[in-house]
Amino acid sequence: MINLSHYQHLFNIENTTERCKKVNDTMDQVWRSELDQLAMRLIGEDYRIATYGQTLITTYHDSINPKYAEQKKDTSIGKKYFAQIVRKIGEKEISLLTLEFNGIEQQMYIYTELSFYQVHELFKTGRQQILNEMDSSLKVFTKTSTFRRSEVERSVLEHTILEMVKPRTRHGLIFGVAISLQGMYETSNIIDFLGETWRLTASLRNYAIEHKESSARVEHIMNLLGSVETPYTANLFGNVYQIHYGSAVNEKSGERIEEFVLKRDGQTIVQGNFNYREYEVRTGLSRPMLGVNVEGHNHIYTNVEVLLGDNRKEWWLTKSFRTTNQNNEELKREAMDLLIQHGMEVHDNEYRIGTYNNTQRRFEEDHAEIKGRLAFAALLFAHVAGRGKFKFFEKEALIHEDKSDKEILENSKEMDEFNSNFDFSVIYESIQNCSLTFDKDLIRDLHLNITALDDKHFVILNGISGTGKTQLAKLYANAVYGLSYEDDNPYLSIIPVRPDWTDASALFGYYSSFEKCYMMTEFLKVLLHANEERMKPHFIVLDEMNLARVEYYLSDYLSGVESHKEITLHNRDDLDGIPSKIGIPPNIYLIGTINVDETTHTISDKVLDRAFVMTLSDVDLETFWSRVDDGVKVRLQNEFQFLMILHRWLAPYNLHFGYRTMNEMIQKMSRHLGLDIEHQISQKAMLDRVISEKVLPKLRGDDRISELLKELSKAFATYLGEESVSYGHIDRMEKELKRYGATQFWR
């Protein structure tokens, strides 16, 4: 005998720990066993019993754990119990019959469940007789929340479903009986209720199984496409392109998004995504849809169920354009011509993707080819429609009737002259042939940091002054284009940051009411050019970027990169050449250099989280010296060796000097030796001068540098003499340190 009133008493227990334990101990073993026996009689196999027991046990243990006890104290978990017969179809399970004791509603429910999409499809496809022929004893409820069920009159069921479409409040529906949770019942009576509900809901259950089996077959097709990771290569307009795929991410229930990028010579040109949906969200129809989007615009949207059948199904997609202010028929013809050039089969406004074999459950063509055709077709449609900034590069587009042959030739020459290549081997070889010194680990790290992400390229170079941060940025940018360090690179802009940069106008410019024009900046010029030439990587170096507060002037840029949304420049209608909004294309590579001293600002976590931060502190002066002119090396060998010793002493205190300082000292000492002999001083005296002028001015600290000062004092006295300027500075600083506890070069 089952006392339903006792069940209700258990659900009313206020203490979560006690409630969950007693509900589980009282109900789970009993009803798991009863439903298992019932399922054996009704089905025999291919099922399992799912219950609320695991949730109850987990909540019980969490509630006695001090770490989670507080948040579990007021939960409603344990105010109901259910056991259900479920079957796995494909990768998902379907509930065939459920027994639910609901302490909030104070009802015992026995039901078969359908999703909103399944019920909506019955009405939209004219199969509502399945619902109309249900026995009158069965009631219909919507599952408005975990515990709440709202009864729906049969006469208004279709209206209720349609009312859910527009606001997208799409609750599941249950079909069965409800019995007040009070009184005494024989277990056999409840089992009879379950058996009768099973019989009366047979048509609904069979429909749900049929629907889920169809969905599983479609999901298998989508998984075939989603599992393809092999890049797709295509040739168009005489250029070779590659499509690279990311990982599919579950955005929300019933929807997966998989990013892809179009590249040429390693440069990301445009981004898109595959959208795999179990249903059509806008209309609320139970149609598994595949969408292919480019720059946020949808170019392919198709029902994958068309591929289902008993045997082979050819996959033909229809394309139409619905743009304003353009001839859509001409756009369609151009798009179909491009598909033909790409080797795809076309008939009027239809194009063939491939053939699906339902028997073998796979495409007859290579799956990478099928997926590549879908992505490339969407890219071609984006190119033709002109939605967004994306366009394939067409060499013939350089030729215009209003241009002279000379201009056409110059444009063609410029395009051919600057070809980018992100192959690391090529980049490293180019850098190795330069006179500047950077080790392979550093170059590799910069390369990976700046290319690892397809849509976000932001690196911050930190380190002491003179370590070659700006030089490294320029060297890398030029190496991408196969240029030497000294060559002029039109795709590289080095922009010095000013301390008065307080907002985004420092980068993006602004409209001046006084000048009655838009105040253009170098940064904005690069963005505009990068949007026009999407095939070319554009490098921007913000030199000494923390002279101003980075989060003030760079926030709009970082937001634009992160959100892929356009940045508003102005709201005027009378400006030519300056768009009202601008996006950050994926061919922008931003490198910032920073020094940390009393003149600079710290960088906020918001900025640091969006960048790779590299520190350039190690300086390879030996390699630097090996590349110095042999004549200079012979004459200044001793001086260089002393500077190397000095550098090693300073390095542990982060007071050492970089390439720039070493180079300038060597240059000055070399120039000194070029003077007439009567105008020269001793080489030691000149070494003393360059040390006191280029190395010691940055010397400062507290008791922690006392040992360093002792070492420098001994060395300068021995090698330069106690009368030297450098020794005098160190002697004074030692005395100041003893007296004040801190010292610096400047008095």
Side-chain angles (χ1 to χ4, degrees):
M1 187 71 72
I2 300 298
N3 186 344
L4 297 184
S5 299
H6 178 62
Y7 283 180
Q8 184 62 56
H9 171 73
L10 296 179
F11 295 140
N12 289 339
I13 295 173
E14 290 190 9
N15 183 275
T16 298
T17 305
E18 182 184 357
R19 182 176 66 246
C20 287
K21 188 172 191 313
K22 287 190 174 181
V23 169
N24 182 71
D25 291 348
T26 303
M27 307 174 75
D28 193 56
Q29 186 173 350
V30 171
W31 291 112
R32 183 186 293 274
S33 174
E34 291 293 343
L35 259 74
D36 188 33
Q37 294 177 51
L38 176 64
M40 283 292 292
R41 293 200 304 271
L42 296 175
I43 305 174
E45 58 182 4
D46 194 17
Y47 73 90
R48 81 175 183 92
I49 304 302
T51 76
Y52 199 52
Q54 187 58 54
T55 300
L56 293 171
I57 291 298
T58 300
T59 304
Y60 165 74
H61 286 293
D62 285 348
S63 67
I64 60 176
N65 185 335
K67 184 176 180 180
Y68 305 108
E70 186 62 30
Q71 66 189 67
K72 296 295 182 182
K73 186 169 62 175
D74 298 323
T75 181
S76 294
I77 296 174
K79 293 185 178 181
K80 74 170 183 179
Y81 174 84
F82 69 80
Q84 54 189 190
I85 304 171
V86 301
R87 173 179 292 171
K88 187 173 183 180
I89 300 176
E91 297 298 317
K92 298 181 180 178
E93 287 185 328
I94 180 174
S95 171
L96 303 179
L97 184 67
T98 299
L99 169 65
E100 176 186 317
F101 301 99
N102 190 316
I104 300 292
E105 298 278 353
Q106 300 185 23
Q107 295 283 318
M108 176 175 69
Y109 294 101
I110 298 173
Y111 57 84
T112 288
E113 183 174 357
L114 296 182
S115 71
F116 158 82
Y117 293 98
Q118 290 171 326
V119 178
H120 188 215
E121 182 182 293
L122 288 175
F123 286 112
K124 297 299 288 186
T125 58
R127 300 170 66 187
Q128 59 266 38
Q129 71 273 12
I130 294 178
L131 300 170
N132 297 335
E133 293 171 359
M134 284 192 312
D135 189 272
S136 59
S137 64
L138 294 178
K139 294 183 178 182
V140 183
F141 301 87
T142 59
K143 296 177 68 174
T144 53
S145 70
T146 303
F147 293 93
R148 297 293 180 183
R149 284 87 179 91
S150 300
E151 186 173 357
V152 180
E153 292 295 331
R154 296 279 252 333
S155 60
V156 297
L157 178 57
E158 182 174 5
H159 176 74
T160 301
I161 292 296
L162 294 176
E163 285 291 299
M164 292 183 188
V165 174
K166 191 171 182 180
R168 300 182 184 178
T169 53
R170 298 166 182 181
H171 307 300
L173 291 98
I174 61 177
F175 302 84
V177 296
I179 300 170
S180 178
L181 204 60
Q182 58 183 347
M184 306 288 288
Y185 282 84
E186 292 286 348
T187 303
S188 60
N189 294 144
I190 297 177
I191 296 301
D192 288 342
F193 286 138
L194 285 162
E196 183 66 6
T197 303
W198 175 272
R199 183 182 68 82
L200 295 177
T201 57
S203 58
L204 289 174
R205 185 171 56 258
N206 292 335
Y207 162 68
I209 292 172
E210 173 194 323
H211 182 276
K212 187 60 71 172
E213 287 175 343
S214 175
S215 297
R217 292 173 66 190
V218 171
E219 185 176 10
H220 172 73
I221 294 173
M222 290 187 175
N223 287 339
L224 290 179
L225 297 174
S227 64
V228 172
E229 298 178 350
T230 307
Y232 181 74
T233 301
N235 195 307
L236 192 68
F237 303 123
N239 298 303
V240 178
Y241 298 93
Q242 301 85 34
I243 296 172
H244 295 259
Y245 308 105
S247 300
V249 178
N250 292 318
E251 289 288 308
K252 49 191 173 184
S253 178
E255 181 177 5
R256 288 182 299 149
I257 303 292
E258 180 187 15
E259 305 285 342
F260 69 84
V261 295
L262 178 72
K263 294 191 175 189
R264 179 185 167 207
D265 296 329
Q267 167 60 50
T268 297
I269 300 166
V270 71
Q271 296 170 286
N273 65 67
F274 285 86
N275 193 325
Y276 307 95
R277 290 179 174 173
E278 290 184 21
Y279 32 74
E280 196 170 13
V281 177
R282 184 179 58 83
T283 61
L285 294 176
S286 184
R287 293 175 180 167
M289 305 300 294
L290 171 63
V292 188
N293 309 304
V294 178
E295 284 195 330
H297 298 288
N298 180 258
H299 294 280
I300 294 177
Y301 194 59
T302 182
N303 183 358
V304 185
E305 276 184 323
V306 298
L307 293 176
L308 299 185
D310 296 328
N311 204 346
R312 301 168 69 251
K313 287 281 187 176
E314 290 195 343
W315 198 3
W316 286 85
L317 299 183
T318 302
K319 180 60 183 176
S320 60
F321 290 88
R322 296 182 178 87
T323 63
T324 56
N325 303 320
Q326 294 190 81
N327 187 320
N328 290 311
E329 280 300 309
E330 287 187 5
L331 294 180
K332 184 184 73 174
R333 283 194 295 271
E334 182 183 351
M336 294 301 119
D337 287 344
L338 288 176
L339 290 176
I340 292 171
Q341 290 180 37
H342 183 53
M344 293 177 68
E345 190 176 344
V346 170
H347 177 68
D348 193 21
N349 65 334
E350 291 186 315
Y351 56 101
R352 183 176 174 275
I353 296 297
T355 301
Y356 184 72
N357 190 312
N358 282 276
T359 303
Q360 297 179 357
R361 301 187 69 202
R362 60 170 289 114
F363 287 97
E364 295 183 354
E365 298 83 359
D366 184 86
H367 293 156
E369 179 68 22
I370 296 293
K371 188 172 184 176
R373 288 176 184 176
L374 285 165
F376 211 75
L379 289 163
L380 287 173
F381 298 151
H383 167 81
V384 171
R387 297 172 70 188
K389 302 291 185 182
F390 168 66
K391 280 283 185 184
F392 280 106
F393 170 64
E394 303 177 64
K395 290 183 179 179
E396 56 266 32
L398 293 170
I399 303 176
H400 300 286
E401 292 181 2
D402 57 341
K403 286 192 174 184
S404 67
D405 291 341
K406 182 179 179 182
E407 288 178 305
I408 295 169
L409 185 62
E410 288 176 353
N411 284 338
S412 300
K413 182 179 178 182
E414 181 179 344
M415 294 303 296
D416 292 337
E417 185 178 353
F418 297 100
N419 292 314
S420 60
N421 190 336
F422 277 101
D423 185 291
F424 179 70
S425 299
V426 176
I427 291 172
Y428 181 62
E429 182 179 354
S430 178
I431 292 177
Q432 281 295 95
N433 293 330
C434 174
S435 60
L436 299 174
T437 305
F438 296 102
D439 64 42
K440 189 173 186 177
D441 287 343
L442 180 65
I443 299 167
R444 183 198 304 111
D445 206 26
L446 174 60
H447 174 73
L448 293 175
N449 288 342
I450 209 164
T451 61
L453 306 178
D454 290 320
D455 58 342
K456 184 167 60 175
H457 316 288
F458 182 24
V459 175
I460 295 176
L461 302 180
N462 169 50
I464 64 169
S465 179
T467 50
K469 298 183 291 295
T470 307
Q471 289 177 326
L472 176 60
K474 180 181 178 182
L475 193 60
Y476 182 85
N478 279 16
V480 168
Y481 280 97
L483 304 173
S484 66
Y485 177 79
E486 295 79 12
D487 290 336
D488 182 39
N489 186 348
Y491 297 97
L492 166 66
S493 293
I494 300 176
I495 304 173
V497 172
R498 293 166 50 95
D500 60 354
W501 286 12
T502 57
D503 57 38
S505 64
L507 296 181
F508 295 97
Y510 61 95
Y511 180 79
S512 171
S513 300
F514 180 75
E515 299 284 348
K516 303 244 184 265
C517 67
Y518 197 88
M519 307 305 289
M520 180 70 77
T521 64
E522 179 67 19
F523 191 90
L524 181 57
K525 287 179 183 176
V526 177
L527 287 188
L528 292 171
H529 196 244
N531 272 296
E532 291 174 2
E533 284 197 56
R534 295 291 282 268
M535 312 297 175
K536 301 286 188 181
H538 289 64
F539 293 89
I540 300 175
V541 178
L542 293 179
D543 205 17
E544 299 194 59
M545 68 183 303
N546 61 332
L547 282 178
R549 291 198 176 275
V550 180
E551 59 273 20
Y552 287 1
Y553 67 83
L554 202 62
S555 59
D556 284 6
Y557 174 86
L558 295 175
S559 177
V561 170
E562 204 76 23
S563 67
H564 297 157
K565 293 182 179 178
E566 293 185 314
I567 298 165
T568 300
L569 299 179
H570 62 82
N571 56 5
R572 303 184 65 86
D573 299 325
D574 57 348
L575 291 181
D576 293 330
I578 306 293
S580 60
K581 294 182 178 181
I582 191 168
I584 310 298
N587 56 330
I588 287 290
Y589 295 78
L590 184 63
I591 302 175
T593 70
I594 64 172
N595 295 316
V596 179
D597 56 37
E598 62 277 0
T599 69
T600 61
H601 300 278
T602 56
I603 300 179
S604 70
D605 289 347
K606 173 185 176 181
V607 177
L608 296 176
D609 285 346
R610 289 161 173 79
F612 286 101
V613 181
M614 299 174 59
T615 298
L616 279 66
S617 58
D618 295 330
V619 182
D620 185 2
L621 294 179
E622 290 286 2
T623 304
F624 165 84
W625 183 245
S626 69
R627 297 179 178 178
V628 171
D629 182 76
D630 289 340
V632 174
K633 284 195 288 188
V634 170
R635 292 181 294 174
L636 297 176
Q637 181 65 37
N638 293 334
E639 286 75 14
F640 172 75
Q641 291 302 326
F642 185 78
L643 290 174
M644 281 292 296
I645 295 171
L646 180 58
H647 185 271
R648 284 196 291 270
W649 283 334
L650 294 170
Y653 302 89
N654 286 321
L655 295 171
H656 55 299
F657 46 90
Y659 297 115
R660 183 195 302 122
T661 298
M662 176 62 90
N663 182 58
E664 291 175 1
M665 289 190 292
I666 296 295
Q667 289 285 346
K668 180 175 179 179
M669 289 188 292
S670 178
R671 286 291 181 92
H672 167 252
L673 294 176
L675 298 176
D676 292 338
I677 192 67
E678 66 267 21
H679 301 304
Q680 292 183 19
I681 58 176
S682 70
Q683 289 188 218
K684 281 191 178 182
M686 183 51 62
L687 177 62
D688 176 34
R689 296 288 178 87
V690 296
I691 291 173
S692 63
E693 293 166 353
K694 298 293 294 181
V695 178
L696 300 187
K698 292 192 291 184
L699 206 57
R700 57 186 176 275
D702 51 24
D703 288 337
R704 286 171 291 185
I705 67 167
S706 60
E707 290 301 318
L708 171 64
L709 294 180
K710 288 179 183 177
E711 292 288 347
L712 294 178
S713 179
K714 291 178 185 177
F716 290 163
T718 302
Y719 194 82
L720 301 177
E722 294 187 2
E723 71 285 355
S724 65
V725 176
S726 299
Y727 176 82
H729 284 302
I730 297 301
D731 183 59
R732 170 185 57 79
M733 292 176 69
E734 281 191 293
K735 293 174 182 176
E736 288 179 354
L737 185 61
K738 290 178 182 178
R739 183 179 303 172
Y740 304 116
T743 186
Q744 62 176 358
F745 173 83
W746 302 101
R747 283 181 281 184

